Amino acid sequence: MIFCLSLNLFWGTTFFLKLFDSSKKVYYTSIQAKTLEGGKNFMGYKKLAMGEKKKIALVAHDNKKIDLLEWAKFNKDLLAQHELYATGTTGRLLERELDVEISKLQSGPLGGDQQIGAKIAQGEIDFIIFFWDPLEPQPHDTDVKALLRIAVVWNIPVACNRASADFMISSPLMSEEYQRFVPDYKNYRERMKR
């Protein structure tokens, strides 16, 4: 039996159709973009394949590093099947604790969050596990906001706490190829050329 969920997005005629069957396997149909005057599309979408081996960014603010370490130790076997990236101190702690190779970037306040954002824009990160501290002001709050924003821009899944990370890591999609819809920004990039 196939179930269907349809979503009408804010600009009117764009539909995102999500189909799934009783085994909870997800299937997607096409997305149509709004047509502007002159018959030009505002924005379309394209598919980007995430392989079976995902590229995961692991980030934690200082007050959340112990939470991330405990979560990562519990999920060590699952994480070891993927390509891992982390910001500075978090990466060193995880690498030592898990005994797995982690590509370490700069510390968050020194540009690590921005490095992850750049990797997202280049298609080099599939999703983020970011245990951020909502109660403590950060010296790089603008970088954190920019990272979360760019994840939304490129349709990257983000887990911001243990519960959401548990749901993501235990998803059957973690061990299979997944076709992620990403916006096609071609018309946006060329808007001033017309």
Side-chain angles (χ1 to χ4, degrees):
M1 173 179 262
I2 293 185
F3 304 91
C4 173
L5 170 68
S6 140
L7 206 45
N8 189 357
L9 298 180
F10 70 92
W11 56 76
T13 59
T14 301
F15 293 95
F16 177 48
L17 204 55
K18 180 178 178 181
L19 301 172
F20 56 95
D21 62 21
S22 56
S23 70
K24 307 259 193 269
K25 183 155 178 100
V26 178
Y27 306 90
Y28 294 93
T29 65
S30 63
I31 296 176
Q32 302 170 343
K34 178 179 179 181
T35 302
L36 300 175
E37 300 87 40
K40 296 181 181 173
N41 283 342
F42 176 71
M43 182 179 0
Y45 290 82
K46 56 186 177 182
K47 291 181 182 180
L48 181 66
M50 288 185 192
E52 291 178 14
K53 185 174 186 173
K54 307 295 187 285
K55 296 171 279 188
I56 304 170
L58 301 160
V59 185
H61 287 153
D62 288 348
N63 290 341
K64 296 294 182 175
K65 287 191 190 321
I66 291 172
D67 285 345
L68 182 62
L69 284 171
E70 289 173 354
W71 179 86
K73 279 194 301 190
F74 183 80
N75 292 290
K76 176 183 177 179
D77 293 338
L78 290 170
L79 290 171
Q81 298 171 26
H82 302 284
E83 191 174 330
L84 305 177
Y85 297 82
T87 50
T89 308
T90 304
R92 284 190 300 280
L93 292 170
L94 285 167
E95 197 168 57
R96 184 176 65 215
E97 191 69 39
L98 303 178
D99 195 31
V100 297
E101 184 178 335
I102 296 178
S103 297
K104 293 175 291 301
L105 306 171
Q106 292 290 328
S107 176
L110 301 178
D113 295 335
Q114 292 181 350
Q115 286 179 303
I116 291 174
K119 286 186 171 298
I120 289 170
Q122 295 167 343
E124 297 174 13
I125 296 289
D126 292 325
F127 73 85
I128 303 172
I129 297 172
F130 186 176
F131 286 14
W132 58 277
D133 186 351
L135 302 177
E136 189 72 28
Q138 302 295 324
H140 62 299
D141 272 338
T142 54
D143 296 343
V144 171
K145 184 176 181 182
L147 174 58
L148 295 173
R149 180 191 161 280
I150 205 73
V152 171
V153 166
W154 291 105
N155 195 23
I156 297 290
V158 180
C160 292
N161 55 40
R162 288 177 90 149
S164 58
D166 284 341
F167 273 86
M168 286 175 66
I169 200 79
S170 63
S171 167
L173 298 174
M174 283 299 298
S175 60
E176 60 187 53
E177 187 172 299
Y178 175 75
Q179 296 292 324
R180 175 171 53 97
F181 280 107
V182 294
D184 183 354
Y185 291 111
K186 180 182 177 193
N187 287 338
Y188 179 80
R189 289 181 180 118
E190 295 177 358
R191 69 193 182 283
M192 297 307 229
K193 294 179 183 177
R194 297 178 195 141

